[in-house]
Amino acid sequence: MKVLVVGANGKIGRILSKKLSASEKYEPTAFIRKEEQRAYFDEIGVPAIVESLEQSEEVIGNVIKDFDAVVFTAGSGGKTGYDKTLEIDLDGAIKAVHGASKHQVKRFIMVSAAHADERSYWGQSSIKPYYIAKHYADKELSQSDLDFTILRPVRLTDDEKVGKVKMLKEPGLLEREIPRAAVAETILTILEDKATYGKIIEMSRGEDNIAEAVKKVCS
């Protein structure tokens, strides 16, 4: 399976690219925005495409069209303004969804954020525009014709161990954190799992291994 990792130079994207490259089942390609980011992917043997999510839907679609699956892990990051949140987390995500749909790249996994459907939570947050962007990008994907899965992790940590997780079908009681490594491992686990198609999964640390948690949330 040829997998395009959008936002591959982010922390989840780097972990996922390395995991995909180590598997004989997948041929990952990194979608990155700067030429100087290529060195890491050369080192792990993953080809890279340098392009911007601020480009047109046509340009992004032409990048996506030759793949079997898209994993969208891109984000504007905490050091940019909310203009970039709109451009990347919302508009960039929607252009990727439309590009995949146009070119019949059916499998699409979106890394979103816990509480993206909870307007009451947004009002308590200092990053309300971020949640609004995630909400509407997710909504566009969920109304598409793609075989989508939306992962909504809580606050991310850099713990190297995957650990155990909790997954919910809808907003509920979660722990406060989850390692990025666990999100990347979940993507690897569900990539070809048809039981996860059409699912929105809220996730945090918990008491189940990933395979068990996926089975529970998809039953």
Side-chain angles (χ1 to χ4, degrees):
M1 176 184 276
K2 295 172 68 178
V3 182
L4 182 66
V5 182
V6 182
N9 196 58
K11 291 182 179 181
I12 291 175
R14 282 189 169 206
I15 297 166
L16 177 63
S17 296
K18 196 169 185 179
K19 286 177 178 286
L20 290 168
S21 181
S23 170
E24 295 181 357
K25 296 170 65 177
Y26 303 111
E27 295 178 20
T29 296
F31 184 123
I32 56 177
R33 66 186 181 90
K34 294 181 179 178
E35 184 63 39
E36 53 262 39
Q37 296 170 346
R38 189 188 295 273
Y40 172 82
F41 299 96
D42 287 344
E43 192 175 305
I44 64 172
V46 172
I49 296 170
V50 179
E51 194 52 86
S52 171
L53 286 169
E54 296 173 36
Q55 285 280 15
S56 68
E57 190 173 297
E58 182 180 5
V59 168
I60 293 168
N62 283 335
V63 174
I64 288 171
K65 67 181 181 181
D66 295 324
F67 291 88
D68 303 308
V70 175
V71 180
F72 192 95
T73 70
S76 58
K79 296 180 181 179
T80 61
Y82 286 127
D83 56 335
K84 289 298 180 186
T85 301
L86 290 175
E87 283 187 298
I88 304 303
D89 298 77
L90 178 56
D91 194 44
I94 288 174
K95 287 185 287 189
V97 169
H98 289 178
S101 181
K102 178 181 178 179
H103 294 287
Q104 295 295 298
V105 180
K106 300 293 284 185
R107 186 62 172 132
F108 199 110
I109 296 176
M110 178 81 82
V111 179
S112 180
H115 312 297
D117 283 344
E118 299 174 68
R119 282 185 167 84
S120 60
Y121 184 90
W122 306 347
Q124 303 168 30
S125 170
S126 62
I127 53 172
K128 184 176 180 179
Y130 169 79
Y131 286 108
I132 294 172
K134 292 298 186 185
H135 172 79
Y136 284 103
D138 291 357
K139 188 172 184 179
E140 190 76 10
L141 177 55
S142 67
Q143 293 176 346
S144 74
D145 62 348
L146 300 177
D147 296 327
F148 73 87
T149 307
I150 298 169
L151 298 180
R152 289 179 172 169
V154 293
R155 187 159 65 92
L156 299 163
T157 72
D158 291 328
D159 295 0
E160 292 185 5
K161 291 184 178 179
V162 169
K164 294 191 175 183
V165 300
K166 181 177 184 178
M167 296 184 185
L168 301 175
K169 297 177 183 178
E170 54 190 35
L173 187 61
L174 293 167
E175 299 296 326
R176 294 181 62 185
E177 297 179 340
I178 189 169
R180 289 178 173 86
V183 179
E185 185 65 27
T186 299
I187 295 167
L188 191 69
T189 300
I190 70 172
L191 198 49
E192 295 184 83
D193 185 353
K194 293 182 179 180
T196 68
Y197 290 7
K199 298 291 194 301
I200 298 175
I201 301 172
E202 307 257 338
M203 58 189 301
S204 74
R205 293 185 187 273
E207 298 180 349
D208 296 321
N209 65 45
I210 287 172
E212 290 168 344
V214 169
K215 188 174 181 179
K216 281 183 181 180
V217 82
C218 293
S219 60

